[in-house]
Amino acid sequence: MANRWTDELGRPRMVQTTEKSGLQSMKNTSGMVSYEDLLIAQYLDELRQIRAERRKKRDSPSPYIQKLPHSDYYYQRHRPMSASNVTRPKIDSKFIADPSLWDPSTPRPESIKKTTHIRSRPASAPVKRQRHRPWSGVSSASSYGKMKWTFFRPPSGSRIRSQYKKQPHTIRVTAFKNGTRDGNLRIAAPNIKMLLEYCTEKLGLGFAARRVFLEDGVEVFDEQDIPLDADVYISLGENYKDPYAAAKRNIIQSNGAKWTLTGVMLPIEGKKKVSVPRLSKRMKKLAEKKRVRVVVYRNGKSTEPVEIVADLSKKEEFLVACTAKLDLQSHARIIYEWEGNVCEDLADIPVLDECLQPGGTDVLGPVWISTGEGFSPFATRHFLLSVIEELKRRRKEAKMFKKELNYRRQGEEEKIKVAVKIISMSKKEVEEAYEMTEKDLEQLTASIEHLQEKVDALGEAAETEKNEGAKYRMNHILELPEDKVEKYVGLPGLKLKVNENGTTDNPQDLYFNVREANRGIVHEKNYKELLLKRLLDELSKTSLTANSKNPKLAPNAKKIFDEFGHEVTDVNKLKPEQEIWVSFGEPYICPFSYCLQVAFDRCTGKNFFGERNVLMREQFNPDIVTKDMEDHSLWNVIDGFPEDYPYESSEGFQKDQVQQNLDMFELDPRGHFLQYKDPKKCLVLYPELVVNYKLPRKEKSLWPRDSQIFVISKGGYIYFKPMSQLCLAVSNVQIKARLNGLDNELEGIVITVQKKMSDNQNQQWQFHSDATISSKAHPQLRLTYLGNKFGEDARENFVDRHDLKPGNGVYFIMANPLEEKKLKSFQRFALKQERLDKPRQWTKTETSNPEWNKLAYSWPVREDESLNMDYDWPMEGYLIPHAPKLWKAAKKSTETSIRLMVLKNGEQDRRFACPIVGPNLANMTKDLKKDKNEKRKSRQKLQKTQDDGDEGMEDDINIYSRERDFIMFLDQCTAMLNLPFAARRLFDEKGDEKFSLIDLRRDQLVYVSCGEAWCDPSLSKVEQQRHKLLSDLTRDVSKMQQYVALRNPEFLVLEIYGNLTYNTPIIVNNEWSHQQQADVTAQEGSLLHQLAGSQKDDEEPDTFEQSMPLSAHEVAHQRSEQRLNKLKWPWEKLVNVSQSFDEDPEAQKYTDRDMYEKYKPKPVAQVSQEQLQRFVYEDGYIACAANKKLVLGALETEGRVVEVLLVKRRPDDMNQLWYMKENGEIRLRHNPNVVLTVSMPSYKPYTEDEEPLTFAGCKVTLQGRKNHQYGKAHQLWHYDAETGYIHAFYTELPDKEITAANKADVCTYAIASNSKIDQPGYIAEIPFTAATDKSGIRRFRVCISCAKAMRGRYKLNKLPSNVEFSCAMGNAKKYDLPQIGSFRILNGKVDLSTHEYELTLKEWEEKLANLREESSVRVITKEINAARTVRTVKVLVYKNGEGRMRPGEIICGSSVEGILNQASYRLGLNKAARTMYTEDGTVIFEIENLIDWAFQEYRNLMADHLEKTVHSKGSHFESDEPSQEGGLNEGESPTQQLRGEGEGRDSPSDAQESPGRAENERTEVDEKEADKLSKQREFLLSQIQMPSLETILRYPIEVWVSSGKPFVPPEVVESKTENRKKKRNFRAAISLELDMEKHILRQMKGRRLEELNPGELKGTMNMAQPVVIEGHWQEPTPDEQKKHDTVHKLETHYAEVRANQKEKTTVAIVDSNRPLYKQPDMKRVQVYPMGEPVERAEYVWGETLDQILDNTTIRLNLWQRAKRLYTEQGKEITKFEDVERDMVLCVSMGKSFQPANAHRQNIEVKANYSRAHKLYGQTATEVTVDAAKNPKVNVDPFGPPALALPPSESRKPIADKPQT
């Protein structure tokens, strides 16, 4: 049916628009039109036009567009169901005049009349059943049917539209629960009802969904009002809840919050109103009184009360009245009662007690009014105490009145003296007064008790407020987080004290507005740099940088430093009132003079919550110290914290806060402290050695006044002047720290202040001539300053503090002497004396450095390190760190020749000194300089400055001349001293090696060696021999270390060194990665020195050398600029630093600087290292991937070694074309014999403590191609086309090892052993003398390393290519050759193969360290000679427990540990192999034991084979020695004869003898037979020739390795496997039979079931069952029953067999109480043999004592099994629980505990006995003691007591006995 919303067809009606214009619709009845009406009318007209245009566009859709279910296109715009036909009311002019009176939602009378309210059915209600079919259905009523119904025709008479255009509307929304944005769901429904049903089910609502709201809160009633894909909120009937209400409330609070003095004030509209009244409004109105009186106090006050009449229902009015009457500064906010509770409602205010009521209406209170601060219990308690006093006074008066009433009641009126009116009262009045008085007393007593309870409750809080003050009332105010302080408060400004760099005289204040500076740059990436730049701009505007003469030339500030010299890069880290120093480009200039100081902090002991007592340091306030306390006699220096100190309790503090303080300020109680003698003050100070800037003695902050003055005594003590009991000492704490501001890590011993003790070497110091200080306890170490200053946070500098507590600061340590020049100043000190009574002490200092005299420094020793007695001793003054050099080397001129007195190395007699005059190449140097200067003048006549490149050339010429002078001088020494070999090294008298003649004096004594190390001539021959042995051994170990460093270079690629410019060298470097970027940057500094060729200089290295790599020309430029800057005046350095023409010398040629800056060439952009390592190989060119115009090439190809450079690509240059071979070689196309080669790193074999070599940074050159298979790894490459990397050393590991051995000067026999390989080598012709006195020449093939050592001794001929050989020097003893190889001592005694090099190097490093401690040359020689020749064995390794069931692995090795390591990997063991066993279970500890066992096993096998051969032939054999048993008996075999009676047969006589005697005789017979058998076997073996040991070891030896389990013989494994096979076959037979029987049984059952035999009925005699059925198909047949019994028997038998064959397994007993994730009880301990020093201790692991003992036996190579363990104190360990982790234990092989020196004492006792025998004869130790006879007492003092003797002997006189 048609209604107001739809037409006859049910379609929604279109909105009918009127034809009137907007202006006509806006007219009212009066006809007046305002300007606003015109605007609104124009706006409505435009809306109609836009709507009409849209309708025109949509009225005629394309016939190809159809409405599909998934389409969102609607052809006709339907009017929504929620639309209304009610016309809007017209705007009246009166409302336009007063807009506040207009309400659009208010209906007007006209509209009310026209509006007809139709109550529509809700959308969620069920739809009535329609009588006609839907439009989508096909029926006869369709427009396509035969019949036509006029009912369905449109009113216009047009034809009905197509059915596909009438698709139903679909709602598609995202549904949420009302009030939340969580749990959204995509839902599609045809109408709102279905939408609500779906939402009820899918959203999991508790009740049915009833209402739908849009995002803006508008409720939806029609599906047409829901936009497509809209967000809707489903309600159960409640109103709309905004899901963003909480977020909006937070935004309102954050935006409207205000910061006040009492805290943060939040806006009222943002508060969440959750207060619910306790009573209903009706009950509250009935219960409350309209007006009450309330006594009010100001919070924190107990006086000046105010009475306010208030309405209990109007709290805000009450607070306003309180604000006015109490005269509060801000609005009253909180009401507190006297217990501190907040009164949310005025009805909750307590009522005063009746006795306190003033009368009339009741008074409430008192209450305390707060403006926001917390409750003040102190004031409330004071108020209550005053009230209690008043009540007590009234109670006292009441008692007195009651007493006088009693007098009146008793008739004693004369006693009434106070209340005289009682006398005139009647008895009735007296009784009434008495009753009232008693009632008042009861009330007063109850009130006093009640108030006293409240006073006691507030006592603790009041005391806390008294201690904390106003802070107590502000505790409720939370501190804002750091990230929100800026949001609410804003950034605070900065007030800085600005100083000029290097000065502290005139600091100026600078106010920097941080908030303004942050504008516009907060979100920039370079925010910190921009903020710092703005601060620098502000600093540039101050008067500090002002130039009064020329303001335009004012310099600009470039850097900022703090007081410690750290550059400020983050402005936000600056603090108010902080001092800063401004730099204009120059580095930091320290304005202070730093010196050593002893600082004191107060020590307090605290009990850490009952767990332990701790010690903490607190800042010491010198103001509390009186002048008398500065007397050092009132203080005691104690070692350790006093035991009687009263420790404070930690209760009342938070544990986390106390722990945090401990992490920063905890001290070690074992240190030295200063205790005040007066026990009442309980004052303990902690002295600490610090470095602070030098202060005058009258400075108030210093306590004591002379805390920076130290005294140096002649005995070497450095003690504190105010407290002479304190001195500098070396502690026993070792740390690992980093120098301040540097990456250098040092290990050293901490320097502390200790109590002065005599003869303590840790407190005695030695002063050296290089201004360094060492301790007598550690003379090899130097006092080192770490660089941190007092007040500076230097915790990041400590790498490892060990046992050092966090509160103990460290400023000085004892460390090894620093080698780098820039670090040596950390170990130099000076003494500055400023005593007025002894002036000018510094003039007595012996120094060649004028800077010491300029600074007035003193030093206590002379150049020969003897005390300078010219000083007034003891010396006192300031100890200054970072002192300059004491002795400055004078610059010697090389223009004249120098004469030196030369001796052979180690020569003691100086009379043999030979004077030799050194050569002089000064004339050649002058000529070269002269030519160079003339060329420079002719080329640059107008240039005034000196050419920097020429200066670099002059330096090269000087270096060349010095080197030539030195080489020619050594040649003269070789001839003049008649040395056996060429002179190679030069030493002075102190043993310092000299590399040039520039630092030597005329007629100075020097020593020349042929390459060996320095040999001190003052030593004896034995000491010199010891020094030579150790030097040779050190040289050999150093070669092994260098080989290990070079043996396997990986991840090395080709790289361009520097920028992408012409003639840039090519190197190999580590492959670039993000993790290695920092390491690569650090390595570039060392590569710069290699390329620039910089020589050693006394001055410290420049800063620019540590930056990015530069070319030699750029380095020369920067050096000249640095020298020129040193000549400038200070004002020249500061003015125009950034805009100076000196930065660009080219700019001086032009007059207009701006034009030059505009058009000058742009600098080349820096290229990353990754781009420098990527190349492209195309068309024969190897080009840089970043710039393909730059390729690899060579400028020239003449010479043996040609450097490869990065050159510009030229097609006509043949030196740029390359050919990459498949074998890895990169050859030049025009010369195939030249390949790309990595040049080896430079290495001086004679220098000790050399850093390990590396190929990173080595140049790439062109060298001749090597045709050997091994030794050419540096010529093999691999080009990766995907990444662009050209990998170096792309070959197998053996090739790398041989190449590294040739470079490290290591014999290749140590790597390849006897294996013959194709390697470069030589043929050495070595002469020999035969037995017939005929000489001859033998030729041996040696490697390159050994050939270098033979140069000059033998004739060497180079071997041709493709010749395989093994170096003969490895078997020098075998060939009877002299030991002249690459190794001086260890030739043929080391194994550096792939799996043995680490073990070998570690072994010889430990031996070298031990031998350096030995003083005996004989012991050193014996230890070196004891090293056996390396013997490599071949073993066949099996896994323990597997026997020979699996194939073994063949492994070659020269040590047991190396073989075990390989076996762990090859066999795939889960744990590392620890033990090696042979076939018979023998444990192998050394490789020699394995060789001996193999040889003995071969002899046994050979003997068994011979015995079998003899027995099989039936022959008899006789021994050379006559047999005791005679020949063989008749009828007996040789085996029976050898076995004897006691072994294989029983004799009749044995059965008759006793068992004991028979057993003894049988044992004797067994021993005799065993001896007989061994002799016979030896006789058999002597009849044949045994093969050599090399032949026996040619075959692999079978061994079994274990990870800790006991040995399982292979025979046992094989027998177990065989038994398992037999048992398995036995079970398999039974199982097969059982399966067959089961199959037959199943077939029989199947046939029975298939036949379905009904059976036969047979009668029986049983009355209960007279008829039975036999042969029924459900009953089994007799055959089937028999078969079933057979199957059952087989199953039973099979189960029994399995049960009997089941192997017994140990059931693990699981402890249910054990934790689930308990780790294995494996412990690591340190063990050392008993009687030896602890330094020999080794780490051993084990889970039981037996396992620790077994591992100890293997680890320490004990000759017997370890049996007992002891602690260092001698206590025996019997339980594994007593063993602690990392415990040091002493192991014994059965003996009782002996100290470490007991073994040496026993040896000394034996030695004393031996010396006594040699000196005084054998009877010297037979000592007899005679005692004189006592005439009175008959007692022998050396005999036994008389009671112990027999009776017969006791009667004999003692005098008859010989006295011993």
Side-chain angles (χ1 to χ4, degrees), residues 1369-1417:
M1369 296 310 298
N1371 296 320
K1373 292 184 178 180
K1374 178 180 179 181
Y1375 300 132
D1376 195 14
L1377 296 176
Q1379 294 289 342
I1380 306 175
S1382 60
F1383 292 112
R1384 296 196 173 186
I1385 295 179
L1386 304 180
N1387 196 20
K1389 298 181 180 181
V1390 294
D1391 183 7
L1392 299 177
S1393 58
T1394 304
H1395 301 283
E1396 300 288 342
Y1397 71 93
E1398 291 183 352
L1399 302 175
T1400 304
L1401 179 60
K1402 181 180 179 182
E1403 176 186 0
W1404 282 105
E1405 286 178 346
E1406 294 176 354
K1407 283 187 179 180
L1408 178 60
N1410 296 333
L1411 292 178
R1412 283 177 175 172
E1413 299 178 359
E1414 294 288 343
S1415 58
S1416 175
V1417 180

Side-chain angles (χ1 to χ4, degrees), residues 1028-1045:
K1028 184 178 182 303
L1029 287 174
L1030 291 179
S1031 177
D1032 293 342
L1033 183 59
T1034 303
R1035 179 177 178 272
D1036 292 348
V1037 174
S1038 176
K1039 287 183 178 181
M1040 289 191 289
Q1041 293 173 347
Q1042 300 296 348
Y1043 164 74
V1044 171

Side-chain angles (χ1 to χ4, degrees), residues 395-631:
R395 186 176 62 176
K396 183 178 180 181
E397 293 177 356
K399 288 182 179 180
M400 181 61 67
F401 186 71
K402 180 182 177 182
K403 184 178 180 181
E404 292 186 349
L405 285 175
N406 283 330
Y407 291 155
R408 176 69 177 82
R409 294 172 64 188
Q410 296 175 4
E412 300 176 355
E413 288 83 359
E414 66 276 4
K415 294 184 179 181
I416 300 174
K417 296 180 180 180
V418 179
V420 184
K421 64 179 181 178
I422 299 176
I423 300 175
S424 60
M425 295 174 60
S426 62
K427 292 184 177 180
K428 183 177 181 180
E429 292 177 348
V430 170
E431 293 297 332
E432 291 177 357
Y434 187 81
E435 292 178 0
M436 291 180 62
T437 304
E438 285 186 344
K439 184 178 180 181
D440 291 343
L441 284 174
E442 291 178 359
Q443 291 180 357
L444 290 173
T445 304
S447 297
I448 291 173
E449 293 177 356
H450 176 63
L451 295 177
Q452 188 62 41
E453 291 178 358
K454 296 185 177 182
V455 169
D456 296 339
L458 295 174
E460 184 177 356
E463 186 67 23
T464 305
E465 183 187 4
K466 183 179 178 181
N467 296 331
E468 296 183 3
K471 182 181 178 182
Y472 178 83
R473 287 180 285 175
M474 301 300 175
N475 287 335
H476 68 287
I477 302 177
L478 300 177
E479 295 183 2
L480 289 175
E482 295 182 358
D483 55 345
K484 294 186 178 180
V485 172
E486 299 179 2
K487 182 177 181 180
Y488 293 114
V489 183
L491 291 173
L494 276 178
K495 179 185 176 183
L496 303 175
K497 294 183 179 180
V498 185
N499 296 279
E500 189 177 355
N501 191 14
T503 62
T504 56
D505 301 335
N506 187 21
Q508 298 182 6
D509 294 337
L510 173 69
Y511 297 90
F512 182 62
N513 193 339
V514 183
R515 184 182 300 176
E516 293 294 332
N518 277 326
R519 288 190 177 180
I521 63 173
V522 177
H523 301 290
E524 298 292 336
K525 294 183 179 179
N526 55 345
Y527 161 70
K528 294 182 179 179
E529 291 79 0
L530 295 176
L531 185 60
L532 179 62
K533 185 177 180 181
R534 292 188 177 182
L535 177 58
L536 292 173
D537 294 342
E538 291 293 331
L539 290 172
S540 302
K541 299 176 184 178
T542 59
S543 59
L544 187 68
T545 59
N547 188 354
S548 59
K549 295 183 179 181
N550 192 354
K552 294 183 179 180
L553 296 179
N556 296 327
K558 293 299 182 75
K559 296 180 181 179
I560 304 174
F561 299 95
D562 59 4
E563 59 179 339
F564 301 111
H566 301 155
E567 184 178 356
V568 178
T569 57
D570 191 357
V571 180
N572 295 324
K573 293 183 180 180
L574 293 176
K575 300 179 181 179
E577 301 292 339
Q578 182 176 350
E579 279 192 282
I580 60 173
W581 280 259
V582 180
S583 167
F584 303 99
E586 70 279 3
Y588 174 72
I589 303 174
C590 183
F592 308 107
S593 296
Y594 287 93
C595 64
L596 275 69
Q597 176 185 338
V598 177
F600 294 92
D601 279 345
R602 186 170 184 176
C603 303
T604 57
K606 291 189 178 181
N607 185 278
F608 187 70
F609 300 96
E611 298 178 2
R612 57 190 177 97
N613 292 332
V614 295
L615 183 61
M616 297 178 60
R617 65 186 298 175
E618 298 177 356
Q619 187 174 2
F620 177 61
N621 187 9
D623 297 337
I624 65 174
V625 181
T626 61
K627 293 184 178 180
D628 299 336
M629 297 179 67
E630 293 188 6
D631 187 4

Side-chain angles (χ1 to χ4, degrees), residues 1375-1556:
Y1375 300 132
D1376 195 14
L1377 296 176
Q1379 294 289 342
I1380 306 175
S1382 60
F1383 292 112
R1384 296 196 173 186
I1385 295 179
L1386 304 180
N1387 196 20
K1389 298 181 180 181
V1390 294
D1391 183 7
L1392 299 177
S1393 58
T1394 304
H1395 301 283
E1396 300 288 342
Y1397 71 93
E1398 291 183 352
L1399 302 175
T1400 304
L1401 179 60
K1402 181 180 179 182
E1403 176 186 0
W1404 282 105
E1405 286 178 346
E1406 294 176 354
K1407 283 187 179 180
L1408 178 60
N1410 296 333
L1411 292 178
R1412 283 177 175 172
E1413 299 178 359
E1414 294 288 343
S1415 58
S1416 175
V1417 180
R1418 183 176 300 176
V1419 174
I1420 297 174
T1421 307
K1422 182 179 179 181
E1423 288 291 336
I1424 295 176
N1425 294 334
R1428 302 179 181 179
T1429 305
V1430 176
R1431 187 184 295 275
T1432 304
V1433 297
K1434 185 190 300 181
V1435 294
L1436 183 60
V1437 184
Y1438 298 96
K1439 185 178 179 180
N1440 183 29
E1442 294 183 354
R1444 298 185 181 88
M1445 305 308 297
R1446 294 185 180 180
E1449 295 286 342
I1450 296 179
I1451 297 175
C1452 298
S1454 60
S1455 64
V1456 174
E1457 188 174 357
I1459 294 175
L1460 291 176
N1461 293 338
Q1462 296 184 63
S1464 302
Y1465 173 73
R1466 299 278 293 276
L1467 295 177
L1469 302 181
N1470 295 330
K1471 296 182 180 179
R1474 298 180 180 178
T1475 315
M1476 182 189 297
Y1477 300 95
T1478 57
E1479 186 178 2
D1480 56 358
T1482 304
V1483 182
I1484 302 300
F1485 297 104
E1486 296 292 340
I1487 204 69
E1488 289 77 10
N1489 300 340
L1490 181 62
I1491 296 175
D1492 296 341
W1493 181 90
F1495 182 75
Q1496 190 63 33
E1497 183 68 14
Y1498 184 84
R1499 288 173 55 86
N1500 295 336
L1501 293 175
M1502 183 60 70
D1504 294 341
H1505 178 70
L1506 292 176
E1507 286 183 353
K1508 291 180 181 179
T1509 303
V1510 172
H1511 293 168
S1512 61
K1513 293 181 179 180
S1515 60
H1516 301 281
F1517 61 92
E1518 295 180 359
S1519 177
D1520 294 341
E1521 299 180 4
S1523 176
Q1524 297 179 0
E1525 300 292 335
L1528 295 173
N1529 296 330
E1530 295 180 1
E1532 289 185 351
S1533 64
T1535 306
Q1536 293 177 348
Q1537 179 64 24
L1538 290 173
R1539 295 178 65 180
E1541 291 180 353
E1543 206 171 25
R1545 299 178 298 174
D1546 295 334
S1547 62
S1549 61
D1550 291 339
Q1552 298 176 2
E1553 294 178 353
S1554 61

Side-chain angles (χ1 to χ4, degrees), residues 1636-1697:
M1636 293 173 59
E1637 295 294 334
K1638 284 183 177 180
H1639 180 71
I1640 295 173
L1641 180 62
R1642 286 191 296 269
Q1643 294 291 334
M1644 296 174 67
K1645 184 177 181 180
R1647 295 190 190 98
R1648 173 170 55 81
L1649 296 177
E1650 186 179 3
E1651 292 177 357
L1652 298 177
N1653 188 6
E1656 297 179 358
L1657 298 175
K1658 292 184 178 182
T1660 61
M1661 301 298 294
N1662 190 358
M1663 298 295 294
Q1665 191 176 4
V1667 180
V1668 297
I1669 301 176
E1670 292 184 357
H1672 194 264
W1673 63 276
Q1674 292 183 349
E1675 296 180 358
T1677 60
D1679 296 339
E1680 187 177 351
Q1681 188 66 32
K1682 292 180 182 179
K1683 189 61 68 177
H1684 187 274
D1685 295 340
T1686 303
V1687 169
H1688 180 68
K1689 291 179 181 179
L1690 287 175
E1691 288 180 346
T1692 304
H1693 183 61
Y1694 183 72
E1696 292 177 353
V1697 169

Side-chain angles (χ1 to χ4, degrees), residues 874-921:
M875 302 175 63
E876 68 175 56
Y878 298 91
L879 274 176
I880 309 296
H882 285 299
K885 293 181 179 180
L886 185 61
W887 300 96
K888 191 172 183 180
K891 295 183 179 180
K892 298 292 182 179
S893 176
T894 58
E895 294 183 358
T896 59
S897 302
I898 183 173
R899 185 180 66 182
L900 300 174
M901 305 302 292
V902 185
L903 280 173
K904 294 181 180 180
N905 186 22
E907 182 63 44
Q908 298 179 350
D909 193 353
R910 297 192 177 186
R911 293 178 299 173
F912 295 104
C914 179
I916 299 177
V917 178
N920 182 21
L921 300 180

Side-chain angles (χ1 to χ4, degrees), residues 1246-1462:
Y1246 306 111
T1247 58
E1248 298 181 2
D1249 301 331
E1250 190 76 17
E1251 295 182 358
L1253 297 181
T1254 178
F1255 287 107
C1258 293
K1259 290 184 179 181
V1260 177
T1261 59
L1262 284 176
Q1263 297 183 15
R1265 176 174 172 270
K1266 295 187 177 182
N1267 298 322
H1268 305 283
Q1269 184 180 359
Y1270 298 99
K1272 62 171 184 178
H1274 58 303
Q1275 292 185 346
L1276 299 179
W1277 309 80
H1278 172 68
Y1279 171 66
D1280 191 351
E1282 294 182 1
T1283 60
Y1285 291 134
I1286 300 180
H1287 299 272
F1289 296 94
Y1290 196 79
T1291 182
E1292 297 178 353
L1293 183 59
D1295 192 5
K1296 298 180 184 179
E1297 292 179 342
I1298 298 300
T1299 306
N1302 294 336
K1303 175 57 190 171
D1305 202 9
V1306 172
C1307 180
T1308 57
Y1309 182 84
I1311 292 93
S1313 187
N1314 292 320
S1315 301
K1316 295 183 179 181
I1317 58 176
D1318 182 11
Q1319 59 176 334
Y1322 291 84
I1323 297 178
E1325 298 181 358
I1326 302 176
F1328 73 98
T1329 303
T1332 58
D1333 294 338
K1334 291 183 179 180
S1335 60
I1337 294 177
R1338 292 185 297 177
R1339 294 176 175 82
F1340 295 95
R1341 297 173 180 175
V1342 294
C1343 62
I1344 293 180
S1345 301
C1346 295
K1348 292 178 182 178
M1350 294 181 179
R1351 287 183 301 180
R1353 291 183 174 91
Y1354 308 113
K1355 183 179 179 181
L1356 299 173
N1357 297 322
K1358 190 173 183 180
L1359 274 173
S1361 304
N1362 301 325
V1363 176
E1364 297 181 355
F1365 70 95
S1366 175
C1367 184
M1369 296 310 298
N1371 296 320
K1373 292 184 178 180
K1374 178 180 179 181
Y1375 300 132
D1376 195 14
L1377 296 176
Q1379 294 289 342
I1380 306 175
S1382 60
F1383 292 112
R1384 296 196 173 186
I1385 295 179
L1386 304 180
N1387 196 20
K1389 298 181 180 181
V1390 294
D1391 183 7
L1392 299 177
S1393 58
T1394 304
H1395 301 283
E1396 300 288 342
Y1397 71 93
E1398 291 183 352
L1399 302 175
T1400 304
L1401 179 60
K1402 181 180 179 182
E1403 176 186 0
W1404 282 105
E1405 286 178 346
E1406 294 176 354
K1407 283 187 179 180
L1408 178 60
N1410 296 333
L1411 292 178
R1412 283 177 175 172
E1413 299 178 359
E1414 294 288 343
S1415 58
S1416 175
V1417 180
R1418 183 176 300 176
V1419 174
I1420 297 174
T1421 307
K1422 182 179 179 181
E1423 288 291 336
I1424 295 176
N1425 294 334
R1428 302 179 181 179
T1429 305
V1430 176
R1431 187 184 295 275
T1432 304
V1433 297
K1434 185 190 300 181
V1435 294
L1436 183 60
V1437 184
Y1438 298 96
K1439 185 178 179 180
N1440 183 29
E1442 294 183 354
R1444 298 185 181 88
M1445 305 308 297
R1446 294 185 180 180
E1449 295 286 342
I1450 296 179
I1451 297 175
C1452 298
S1454 60
S1455 64
V1456 174
E1457 188 174 357
I1459 294 175
L1460 291 176
N1461 293 338
Q1462 296 184 63

Side-chain angles (χ1 to χ4, degrees), residues 23-24 26-34 37 91-93:
L23 181 59
Q24 294 176 355
M26 295 301 295
K27 288 183 179 181
N28 52 17
T29 57
S30 61
M32 293 187 300
V33 179
S34 63
D37 295 336
I91 302 175
D92 197 8
S93 60

